[in-house]
Amino acid sequence: MPGSRRTDLVLLLVAVVWGSSYLAAKTATGSAPVLTVLFLRYGISALALVPLARGINRRELKAGLVLGLTQAAVLLLETYGVTHTSAANAGLIISLTLVLTPLFDRRGLPPRFYLAAGICVVAVGLLMSADGLHAPGVGDLLMLAAAVVRAGHVALVGRLSAGLRPVQLTTVQTLVGTALFAVPALPHLPTHAGLGTWLQMVYLALFCSVFAFLAQTWAIQRTSASRASLLLGTEPIWAVAIGIGLGNEHLTAAALLGAALMLTGTTWGQSIERTNRESRPQPVPVS
């Protein structure tokens, strides 16, 4: 298989895995409290990463501590959110990160980008009121908050991770998350849980966290950022497909329209931001 196809398949697999994480988290929280699920997800990830991360330096430790706190906030909001909404809705709403992140970067964006962002806002409104006009659900609001915090986290990663080793930085973040959730989670460990529950925990940790991050890093080093973002941007499509296909969820007509608008708005906004970024003059290195 040619190298470019292999790289595309890896990125597509990452998107599928991330899309599946919402249904996996929703199912796991049916057998254990949210904080316990998060502790096990972080703890198993840390056990897998610590042997690979040798010689963590001071910069990686400091950046990892900050990013570990913001990442834990994202997963806390996401996991609580998905327990109160559908996995399909969760995956669609969290995709707002694609248009929110450039706003956190404080870079000038053309007016049409804000039009794309406006389409996403309308889409969120349709998803939250899929069964008719009513107050937004708690789960949808939590996922909306998660999208905002996740966009801030991604922007921070861009500012703090330059020149740092991905494995070491990720290891520090997993250790921070493990420490944060240990105290409230330890009294509620699912000691009598069945094999299915533990397999879900391992899947969330090793596939949705460790594998997805390392595979994403490996693939992006072998392709263009534009192509990578296009393939990773299919995550909400997989979230909907898996939620409906495996989770027996359904979308009403309003929700289907919201899903279509969300995919349109995020894809268009991502394309505008990428074109705007690539058209900027690059700084000339000083010799």
Side-chain angles (χ1 to χ4, degrees):
M1 180 184 296
S4 59
R5 286 190 180 180
R6 185 184 301 114
T7 302
D8 287 352
L9 284 175
V10 168
L11 285 168
L12 196 60
L13 183 57
V14 171
V16 173
V17 167
W18 277 344
S20 71
S21 67
Y22 305 104
L23 181 60
K26 187 176 182 68
T27 307
T29 53
S31 305
V34 168
L35 297 179
T36 301
V37 170
L38 288 171
F39 167 70
L40 291 172
R41 180 173 182 174
Y42 270 112
I44 296 170
S45 298
L47 289 174
L49 284 169
V50 165
L52 304 176
R54 298 180 180 178
I56 297 173
N57 60 41
R58 183 173 296 180
R59 284 188 61 219
E60 290 162 345
L61 181 61
K62 289 174 65 177
L65 288 172
V66 175
L67 296 176
L69 291 173
T70 56
Q71 183 188 67
V74 173
L75 286 180
L76 183 66
L77 290 166
E78 281 186 4
T79 310
Y80 269 116
V82 79
T83 62
H84 297 289
T85 189
S86 67
N89 262 28
L92 287 164
I93 294 173
I94 201 68
S95 67
L96 271 173
T97 303
L98 293 173
V99 293
L100 290 173
T101 302
L103 299 178
F104 279 92
D105 276 341
R106 299 178 183 177
R107 294 173 179 173
L109 293 164
R112 64 184 183 280
F113 177 85
Y114 298 97
L115 178 58
I119 291 174
C120 293
V121 172
V122 174
V124 169
L126 287 169
L127 289 168
M128 288 183 175
S129 60
D131 297 321
L133 294 176
H134 55 75
V138 172
D140 294 329
L141 290 175
L142 286 170
M143 293 308 303
L144 186 57
V148 174
V149 178
R150 186 171 169 180
H153 171 74
V154 172
L156 273 177
V157 170
R159 295 176 189 177
L160 299 180
S161 65
L164 303 183
R165 295 168 295 177
V167 173
Q168 281 74 5
L169 188 60
T170 304
T171 301
V172 176
Q173 292 179 70
T174 61
L175 291 172
V176 169
T178 304
L180 283 174
F181 298 118
V183 172
L186 286 175
H188 305 287
L189 289 179
T191 53
H192 301 293
L195 178 62
T197 298
W198 285 105
L199 287 176
Q200 288 164 356
M201 303 294 184
V202 170
Y203 179 76
L204 283 169
L206 298 187
F207 287 86
C208 301
S209 295
V210 176
F211 162 77
F213 178 81
L214 295 179
Q216 177 194 25
T217 303
W218 175 87
I220 287 176
Q221 291 172 345
R222 290 163 174 78
T223 189
S224 67
S226 299
R227 189 164 186 82
S229 63
L230 177 66
L231 292 165
L232 292 174
T234 63
E235 176 189 344
I237 299 174
W238 297 111
V240 172
I242 291 169
I244 294 174
L246 298 180
N248 296 319
E249 298 178 352
H250 68 279
L251 294 178
T252 63
L256 282 170
L257 178 58
L261 287 176
M262 179 64 76
L263 294 174
T264 299
T266 53
T267 303
W268 187 29
Q270 191 179 26
S271 174
I272 293 169
E273 188 277 333
R274 183 170 60 248
T275 302
N276 185 65
R277 172 167 30 88
E278 292 174 350
S279 66
R280 291 196 201 99
Q282 299 298 314
V284 179
V286 179
S287 58

